[in-house]
Amino acid sequence: AQTVTQSQPEMSVQEAETVTLSCTYDTSESDYYLFWYKQPPSRQMILVIRQEAYKQQNATENRFSVNFQKAAKSFSLKISDSQLGDAAMYFCARIQGAQKLVFGQGTRLTINP
Amino acid sequence: DAGVTQSPTHLIKTRGQQVTLRCSPKSGHDTVSWYQQALGQGPQFIFQYYEEEERQRGNFPDRFSGHQFPNYSSELNVNALLLGDSALYLCASSKDRGLNTEAFFGQGTRLTVV
């Protein structure tokens, strides 16, 4: 099975500091997309950032950026200047086939004031 | 734009019963996917509908079935409910653009089987 693995069940960070969430994945495809989704207590999955595999440049969206290492099949999410509203479950995901998302187990992020 | 809407938000059913969950996709979207998210786990793909046909299916038994209507809304049906079917059921809609697509999720239906 082509899987997505998040090895950190829980992470915590002080408000205004930086935190990195890890993700590794398995795929036999040459082109694919990777995603980080945020799931707050409201339960709705919200797309945080996405990366296309053939692009060398790491994606950035405001305080969120990724470190994409294609050869290592690693896709970590860095959150800078952490805010209380960033507290949520974070899921790494990969597209497989026609728009099917394969998710990791998630990392619960706590922001300490 | 109302985004993806799911109904009901919560549901309690008895083991052996049948349940129908509903999803209205975001305006302009033609593809609907359903996911099951057990407590403390990542979502698992159930199936996907496009042009009123099931296009992909995950590793779920035939007790799980679905339908997509001409207006792109969708239903997920689960027969002969088991305690293990208790989960958050998420609907995601997208516009068919192959790999380069963004899926928008609803807030889910929390199903409890007792």
Side-chain angles (χ1 to χ4, degrees), chain A residues 29 31-33 35 37 39 42-45 47 50 91 95-101 103-106, chain B residues 9-10 35 37 41-43 45 48 55-56 88 94 96-103 105-108 110:
Chain A
E29 297 160 4
D31 195 18
Y32 48 90
Y33 278 79
F35 305 84
Y37 278 89
Q39 188 178 39
S42 67
R43 309 182 321 203
Q44 186 169 18
M45 287 280 194
L47 179 64
R50 67 174 154 184
F91 292 94
I95 280 278
Q96 179 176 318
Q99 303 173 39
K100 167 187 173 181
L101 287 166
F103 288 89
Q105 296 288 81
Chain B
T9 54
H10 296 84
Y35 294 83
Q37 186 178 16
Q41 304 292 317
F45 177 79
Q48 182 183 90
R55 178 160 68 177
Q56 287 193 88
L88 179 67
S94 55
D96 185 41
R97 287 291 183 269
L99 293 179
N100 186 14
T101 188
E102 178 179 347
F105 285 81
Q107 288 189 300
R110 172 75 67 191

Side-chain angles (χ1 to χ4, degrees), chain A residues 56-79:
Chain A
Q56 301 276 7
Q57 187 173 7
N58 289 324
T60 299
E61 290 286 344
N62 300 314
R63 298 182 295 106
F64 298 87
S65 61
V66 300
N67 183 6
F68 174 49
Q69 302 289 328
K70 190 173 184 178
K73 296 181 179 174
S74 169
F75 181 60
S76 61
L77 174 69
K78 185 172 81 171
I79 306 174

Side-chain angles (χ1 to χ4, degrees), chain B residues 43-98:
Chain B
Q44 299 290 317
F45 177 79
I46 303 175
F47 44 52
Q48 182 183 90
Y49 278 85
Y50 171 69
E51 292 188 342
E52 302 180 51
E53 297 285 335
E54 183 183 288
R55 178 160 68 177
Q56 287 193 88
R57 188 178 183 91
N59 188 24
F60 280 81
D62 291 345
R63 297 187 298 109
F64 289 77
S65 63
H67 189 76
Q68 185 178 34
F69 299 94
N71 67 353
Y72 306 115
S73 66
S74 177
E75 289 182 348
L76 163 65
N77 301 293
V78 187
N79 294 322
L81 284 166
L82 303 174
L83 296 179
D85 295 332
S86 295
L88 179 67
Y89 288 84
L90 295 167
C91 170
S93 74
S94 55
K95 187 133 182 78
D96 185 41
R97 287 291 183 269

Side-chain angles (χ1 to χ4, degrees), chain A residues 82-101:
Chain A
S82 298
Q83 301 175 1
L84 295 178
D86 294 334
M89 286 292 292
Y90 285 81
F91 292 94
C92 177
R94 182 178 61 78
I95 280 278
Q96 179 176 318
Q99 303 173 39
K100 167 187 173 181
L101 287 166

